Amino acid sequence: MYKIAICDDEEQTCVKLKQVLEKVQEDVGEQWEVGYFLSGALLLKQLENKNKYDFLFLDIHLRDLSGVGIGKYIREKQRDYRTLLIYISSDQSYAMELFQVQPYDFLIKPLTYEKVYKVIMRGMEQLRGSGYCLRYQKRKHMYQVFCEDILYLYSDRKKINIALTDGREEEFYGRLREIILQLPDCFTAISQSYVINRNYVKKYSYGEVVMMNQEILVISRARRKEVREIILKQKGKDRK
């Protein structure tokens, strides 16, 4: 599922764009969540609470905050270069100012179905190609999450929980031994119930790992030798 946000202080623009996006969603058969903000301050509050978006339609000329300033916050403060920033405006004179925040596109109002459809289709292709995704089913809908955003996964009876780098957790029904086949090589099973992303291991000892969020996860006795060899091998590669 893609997360899309719209930020414009003209409610009519937000409502119309949301309707266009819902029509595009229906036509392409994808699932996404669309929300809008009527001020830059409201959007910034969500960003500060570690909410991330795949697409952000952002008006340059907001009454309270600069759309360019919000873009700089996303790129420089949060170091988020994956969110596709799509600036919208009635004025075409911002090209050089936008260059520094690496926008994905710049759309001139009014926003037609054709303009929105094209940018969404191109954006989905870019997001799909930007890294591994874990895809899973939940309540008859298919969802996906970027593997680089996963700290670890763990199974609880018939449920699998995904612990994400932003502190959120997602859960769905499945079998961990089947899900691990979808994951890239940086993931390692440390027990029958836990699979970690080694890129987020802060500290390792023979019996446990400390993740970047300070959580301590126990390595099962049966896996300790294997995990030790994998982590030492990775450290050797990192030194080269």
Side-chain angles (χ1 to χ4, degrees):
M1 174 180 282
Y2 296 102
K3 290 186 68 176
I4 302 177
I6 305 162
C7 185
D8 194 303
D9 43 30
E10 296 178 355
E11 188 168 12
Q12 185 178 358
T13 299
C14 292
V15 171
K16 184 177 179 181
L17 180 51
K18 186 173 186 289
Q19 291 171 344
V20 171
L21 286 163
E22 288 170 350
K23 180 66 168 64
V24 174
Q25 173 182 307
E26 182 181 334
D27 290 346
V28 302
E30 287 284 350
Q31 293 289 325
W32 52 61
E33 175 187 313
V34 184
Y36 66 79
F37 304 92
L38 296 177
S39 75
L42 290 173
L43 170 62
L44 195 60
K45 185 175 181 180
Q46 291 299 310
L47 294 172
E48 289 172 345
N49 288 333
K50 298 184 179 179
N51 285 294
K52 291 186 178 182
Y53 302 94
D54 299 300
F55 296 85
L56 175 55
F57 290 84
L58 181 58
D59 188 12
I60 295 174
H61 208 50
L62 297 165
R63 292 191 187 96
D64 59 342
L65 296 174
S66 161
V68 176
I70 293 174
K72 286 182 179 179
Y73 176 83
I74 292 170
R75 298 298 192 228
E76 297 173 7
K77 185 74 173 178
Q78 296 189 316
R79 298 188 179 278
D80 176 2
Y81 297 97
R82 197 183 68 203
T83 294
L84 301 184
L85 291 175
I86 303 157
Y87 280 101
I88 56 179
S89 179
S90 302
D91 190 342
Q92 302 184 47
S93 62
Y94 288 91
M96 292 306 295
E97 199 174 348
L98 292 179
F99 181 76
Q100 57 191 313
V101 296
Q102 302 177 34
Y104 182 67
D105 212 330
F106 179 71
L107 301 182
I108 300 297
K109 298 177 182 179
L111 302 177
T112 63
Y113 176 91
E114 289 73 20
K115 290 178 183 177
V116 175
Y117 178 87
K118 287 179 181 178
V119 77
I120 287 290
M121 294 304 289
R122 286 191 295 107
M124 287 196 301
E125 286 299 318
Q126 177 165 318
L127 289 171
R128 286 169 182 157
S130 65
Y132 287 98
C133 284
L134 172 63
R135 294 177 174 82
Y136 59 92
Q137 185 172 339
K138 185 176 179 180
R139 299 189 188 96
K140 298 183 180 179
H141 294 294
M142 293 302 298
Y143 295 82
Q144 66 181 18
V145 59
F146 284 97
C147 293
E148 66 186 46
D149 291 336
I150 300 174
L151 276 170
Y152 60 86
L153 306 92
Y154 66 96
S155 61
D156 180 10
R157 297 178 184 177
K158 295 183 179 180
K159 285 185 180 179
I160 294 176
N161 294 269
I162 307 172
L164 299 167
T165 55
D166 61 8
R168 293 181 298 116
E169 284 203 5
E170 298 287 344
E171 66 174 26
F172 62 97
Y173 287 97
R175 296 184 178 182
L176 197 58
R177 65 174 179 268
E178 295 174 357
I179 293 299
I180 197 172
L181 298 176
Q182 296 185 46
L183 300 171
D185 292 341
C186 59
F187 284 82
T188 297
I190 61 170
S191 68
Q192 287 188 342
S193 301
Y194 278 80
V195 174
I196 62 167
N197 185 341
R198 298 194 309 278
N199 292 328
Y200 296 116
V201 172
K202 182 178 182 180
K203 184 179 178 182
Y204 161 79
S205 68
Y206 194 58
E208 63 187 28
V209 291
V210 181
M211 306 303 290
M212 289 297 187
N213 64 349
Q214 307 302 324
E215 285 193 69
I216 300 172
L217 304 179
V218 176
I219 306 170
S220 69
R221 292 183 180 274
R223 305 263 180 166
R224 286 177 184 175
K225 182 179 179 182
E226 178 186 353
V227 172
R228 181 175 184 273
E229 289 174 353
I230 291 171
I231 289 180
L232 289 177
K233 185 177 180 181
Q234 178 174 325
K235 285 184 177 179
K237 288 181 178 179
D238 292 342
R239 291 194 191 101
K240 292 179 180 180

